[in-house]
């Protein structure tokens, strides 16, 4: 793997895998809802949509038909801290697809009619998202945890989306869609020389752009508390989050080990207690939210409203038991094996591997080193994992509940 940084900050990563007959390539920009304000919340996601709606030389239909003619898979997504556009094609179609990707990235026109059409599509997407209790719960939890931009929804508000103009888009892109805030990556059957040749041919104007420093968002403290959205869903969703470490922190292997043994697998404590022994829910699991400046360790469950309080009490009991009695060597060794296998399997998936390479560059401005990650996993022990768990669970959590009225105060269980 090689990384090249141009004078204006544009970064290109190439990981050649000659055993493949495909190439996965993407462009990631370090912006998302964390970089927005209340007035323009949702504009990162709106831009993601609009870049597929026509360029100076291609219509929206020609963009997608060009990818389809090459048999490629392609898409884009927006997060809180980055936005990504990507494709995967057979190796012989790499330049055709990269040309289209660069064209939509550099030359989109933001035609007014297309803006209005896509505005309606995004408003439908916002409406549809409210039908998914897990997504709604995630948004409620974010609003509880953070009072600033990290608490805002990625899709934005209907009011904002309804009034975004070409001027708004141009201004936001001039501030954030800059070389120093952009990473291009290639993974698969392509040489370093060929990858750099394609970048310098199809992104020449971007490489020639003057250097401009990337902007940043303010540090936002984790807040404990409770939030809910009472709605007549068939199933309810609840999340409990504790403040944790940011992306790339040296304790990441400890958080990941805790994640595995506490709720990250079918053999984990929460799954065995709450689903297998108590039969309270179909889905209960842990996960980590890790960003540039902050992180959270979350416990999530999909439950019937009548079981919600009982489920939260059982989760609290499992936390207290873990903190009091520690973890076993067998649990930690099992978690470490799962994590090592996960690292290696992810590298064997070109898309997952490419996204990991780009995330490390966007968030940490560093190369992802799988051997270093595995070394951190190997170094984890029952003592270091339980010390980290106690440090994590010592703090008061943020709690979110979405669903039918549980007829009891969930917030009181964790005293938030």
């Amino acid at each position: 793997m090689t990384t090249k940084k141009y004078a204006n900050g544009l970064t290109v990563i190439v990981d050649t895998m000659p055993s493949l007959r495909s190439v996965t390539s993407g462009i990631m920009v370090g912006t998302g809802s964390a970089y927005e304000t209340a007035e323009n919340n949702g504009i990162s996601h709106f831009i993601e949509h609009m870049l597929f709606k026509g360029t100076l030389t291609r219509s929206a239909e020609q963009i997608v038909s060009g990818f389809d003619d090459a048999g490629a898979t392609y898409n884009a997504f927006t997060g809180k801290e980055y936005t990504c556009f990507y494709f995967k094609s057979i190796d012989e179609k790499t330049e055709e697809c990269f040309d289209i990707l660069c064209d939509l990235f550099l030359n989109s026109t933001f035609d007014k009619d297309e803006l209005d059409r896509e505005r309606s599509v995004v408003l439908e997407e916002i409406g549809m998202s409210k039908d998914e209790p897990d997504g709604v719960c995630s948004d409620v939890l974010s609003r509880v945890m953070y009072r600033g931009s990290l608490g805002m929804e990625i899709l934005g508000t209907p009011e904002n989306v309804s009034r975004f103009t070409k001027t708004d888009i141009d201004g936001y892109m001039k501030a954030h869609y800059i070389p120093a805030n952009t990473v291009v990556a290639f993974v698969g059957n392509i040489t370093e020389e060929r990858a750099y040749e394609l970048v310098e041919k199809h992104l020449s104007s971007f490489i020639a752009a003057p250097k401009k420093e990337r902007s940043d968002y303010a540090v936002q403290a984790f807040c404990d508390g409770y939030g809910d959205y009472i709605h007549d869903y068939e199933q309810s969703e609840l999340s409990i989050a504790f403040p944790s470490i940011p992306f790339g922190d040296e304790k990441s292997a400890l958080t990941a080990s805790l994640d595995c043994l506490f709720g990250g697998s079918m053999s984990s404590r929460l799954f065995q207690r709450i689903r297998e022994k108590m039969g309270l829910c179909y889905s209960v699991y842990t996960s980590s939210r890790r960003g540039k400046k902050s992180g959270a360790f979350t416990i999530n469950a999909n439950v019937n409203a009548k079981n919600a309080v009982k489920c939260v009490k059982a989760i609290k009991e499992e936390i207290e038991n873990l903190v009091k009695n520690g973890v076993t060597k067998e649990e930690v060794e099992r978690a470490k094996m799962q994590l090592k296998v996960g690292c290696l399997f992810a590298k064997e998936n070109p898309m997952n591997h490419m996204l990991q390479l780009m995330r490390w560059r966007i968030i940490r401005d560093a190369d992802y080193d799988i051997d270093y990650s595995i070394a951190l996993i190997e170094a984890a022990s029952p003592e270091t994992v339980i010390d980290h768990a106690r440090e994590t669970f010592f703090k008061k959590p943020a709690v979110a509940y979405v669903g039918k009225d549980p007829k009891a105060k969930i917030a009181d269980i964790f005293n938030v």
Side-chain angles (χ1 to χ4, degrees):
M1 187 191 81
T2 64
T3 301
K4 181 175 183 177
K5 182 173 281 193
Y6 290 86
N8 61 6
L10 175 66
T11 301
V12 180
I13 306 169
V14 186
D15 199 347
T16 302
M17 296 181 177
S19 61
L20 302 180
R21 283 302 310 272
S22 66
V23 174
T24 303
S25 180
I27 301 176
M28 182 176 282
V29 182
T31 194
S33 57
Y35 292 84
E36 297 169 355
T37 65
E39 290 72 28
N40 69 7
N41 177 216
I43 196 166
S44 300
H45 175 254
F46 193 59
I47 289 170
E48 175 220 311
H49 276 243
M50 285 306 305
L51 289 191
F52 285 86
K53 296 304 167 182
T55 72
L56 295 171
T57 58
R58 288 182 173 95
S59 66
E61 184 179 356
Q62 287 172 326
I63 289 173
V64 295
S65 64
F67 281 126
D68 288 342
D69 288 346
T73 57
Y74 54 96
N75 212 330
F77 65 85
T78 305
K80 289 189 177 293
E81 299 187 61
Y82 45 80
T83 305
C84 186
F85 308 85
Y86 62 88
F87 71 86
K88 180 179 181 180
S89 71
I90 58 173
D91 46 17
E92 65 192 69
K93 295 292 184 178
T94 301
E95 180 164 14
E96 289 179 36
C97 293
F98 191 68
D99 177 32
I100 299 170
L101 189 71
C102 294
D103 188 30
L104 66 87
F105 184 75
L106 294 177
N107 303 314
S108 288
T109 55
F110 310 115
D111 175 78
K112 185 180 184 304
D113 290 340
E114 290 287 357
L115 276 168
D116 291 336
R117 273 192 288 269
E118 201 60 25
R119 194 189 315 281
S120 297
V121 172
V122 174
L123 290 173
E124 288 290 328
E125 184 179 359
I126 292 173
M128 188 171 65
S129 72
K130 304 306 179 187
D131 293 330
E132 302 170 350
D134 55 341
V136 175
C137 191
S138 178
D139 289 335
V140 172
L141 184 67
S142 292
R143 287 197 295 272
V144 175
M145 289 193 298
Y146 301 109
R147 301 293 186 259
S149 59
L150 285 172
M152 297 191 303
E153 295 181 21
I154 293 169
L155 300 185
T157 66
E159 295 76 17
N160 284 354
V161 172
S162 296
R163 60 177 170 77
F164 287 144
T165 66
K166 184 179 186 299
T167 300
D168 295 325
I169 290 173
D170 286 341
Y172 190 82
M173 291 189 72
K174 284 178 182 176
H176 298 281
Y177 277 60
I178 59 174
N181 204 28
T182 303
V183 173
V184 181
F186 297 85
V187 172
N189 190 27
I190 185 169
T191 64
E192 298 163 13
E193 294 77 14
R194 178 58 173 158
Y196 296 137
E197 178 185 308
L198 292 180
V199 169
E200 287 162 17
K201 177 180 178 181
H202 296 285
L203 287 174
S204 57
S205 62
F206 205 57
I207 293 171
K211 185 173 184 178
K212 181 179 178 181
E213 295 301 321
R214 59 187 296 192
S215 60
D216 208 347
Y217 65 89
V219 175
Q220 295 160 49
F222 182 99
C223 300
D224 60 77
Y226 173 78
D228 61 26
Y229 178 70
I230 304 303
H231 187 78
D232 191 25
Y233 292 119
E234 184 65 29
Q235 288 291 105
S236 299
E237 192 81 17
L238 60 89
S239 293
I240 303 158
F242 293 84
S244 188
I245 58 174
F247 185 92
D249 189 282
E250 287 191 354
K251 291 184 178 180
S252 60
L254 302 180
T255 295
S257 297
L258 177 62
D259 185 8
C260 281
L261 68 88
F262 197 57
S265 69
M266 293 177 68
S267 63
S268 67
R269 293 190 179 194
L270 289 178
F271 191 94
Q272 285 296 311
R273 166 87 186 278
I274 294 171
R275 172 174 157 157
E276 297 296 278
K277 294 178 182 177
M278 299 180 72
L280 289 178
C281 62
Y282 174 76
S283 173
V284 58
Y285 61 96
T286 56
S287 60
S288 293
R289 294 187 180 196
R290 285 181 285 175
K292 183 177 181 180
K293 301 180 179 183
S294 62
F297 184 86
T298 67
I299 303 164
N300 314 278
N302 180 260
V303 300
N304 189 289
K306 67 181 182 181
N307 291 328
V309 170
K310 191 182 293 185
C311 184
V312 175
K313 287 181 178 178
I315 289 170
K316 186 181 181 186
E317 289 170 2
E318 283 302 311
I319 291 173
E320 290 170 345
N321 177 55
L322 182 141
V323 168
K324 179 181 179 181
N325 297 314
V327 296
T328 67
K329 181 179 179 181
E330 290 75 18
E331 285 179 306
V332 174
E333 290 303 314
R334 183 189 303 127
K336 288 164 63 173
M337 180 56 68
Q338 291 172 354
L339 293 172
K340 286 190 289 184
V341 169
C343 283
L344 296 170
F345 280 7
K347 187 169 184 180
E348 292 179 358
N349 182 314
M351 183 65 70
N352 289 346
H353 184 52
M354 180 191 73
L355 294 176
Q356 182 77 299
L357 296 176
M358 292 197 290
R359 277 193 295 263
W360 270 83
R361 268 290 152 189
I362 285 291
I363 296 177
R364 303 288 294 181
D365 195 23
D367 286 328
Y368 170 63
D369 185 340
I370 189 171
D371 294 326
Y372 176 68
S373 295
I374 290 176
L376 289 178
I377 293 168
E378 292 282 13
S381 67
E383 293 76 22
T384 56
V385 171
I386 192 57
D387 284 347
H388 183 60
R390 287 169 177 155
E391 181 182 328
T392 300
F393 293 134
F394 172 76
K395 299 155 189 170
K396 292 181 73 173
V399 180
Y401 172 84
V402 169
K404 296 175 183 176
D405 191 339
K407 306 300 182 184
K409 290 187 177 180
I410 290 175
D412 290 346
I413 299 170
F414 278 96
N415 192 31
V416 291

